[in-house]
Amino acid sequence: MRDTGVVRRLDELGRITLPMELRKSLNLTERDSLHIFVEEDKIILQKFSPSDIFTGSMDDLIDFHGKKVSKESIIEMAKLAGLKVKE
């Protein structure tokens, strides 16, 4: 982890503003979603990228009822269900 030297105060609603230089360097744009993690006493922000709900893969995703599933997972589930799959 590297220190950016930036210190920000929380506003009355608990919000902070990320500096423009930091947003540019991390390719964050207006309305991007951030995933929030907690590790001991640290808050970690990561740009959110949709991934397969079963494997975490981000390749060949299909939206199924609002959830992301990879083609690989679908094929594997079809085989487990006893369906013949052409690959």
Side-chain angles (χ1 to χ4, degrees), residues 2-70:
R2 65 176 191 237
D3 183 1
T4 63
V6 176
V7 176
R8 294 283 194 227
R9 290 185 190 266
L10 292 175
D11 71 7
E12 57 277 349
L13 296 176
R15 299 175 296 198
I16 61 168
T17 302
L18 299 176
M20 179 60 78
E21 301 81 25
L22 184 59
R23 293 190 314 249
K24 282 183 180 178
S25 71
L26 296 174
N27 196 28
L28 294 171
T29 59
E30 189 176 309
R31 301 286 179 207
D32 276 347
S33 296
L34 297 176
H35 199 151
I36 302 170
F37 299 91
V38 175
E39 183 179 293
E40 296 179 16
D41 64 340
K42 296 172 185 68
I43 298 169
I44 301 167
L45 303 175
Q46 181 179 40
K47 187 173 182 176
F48 177 74
S49 297
S51 61
D52 183 317
I53 60 171
F54 299 108
T55 65
S57 170
M58 292 189 275
D59 299 325
D60 293 325
L61 297 178
I62 296 171
D63 189 59
F64 183 74
H65 296 284
K67 305 291 183 189
K68 301 293 183 192
V69 183
S70 68

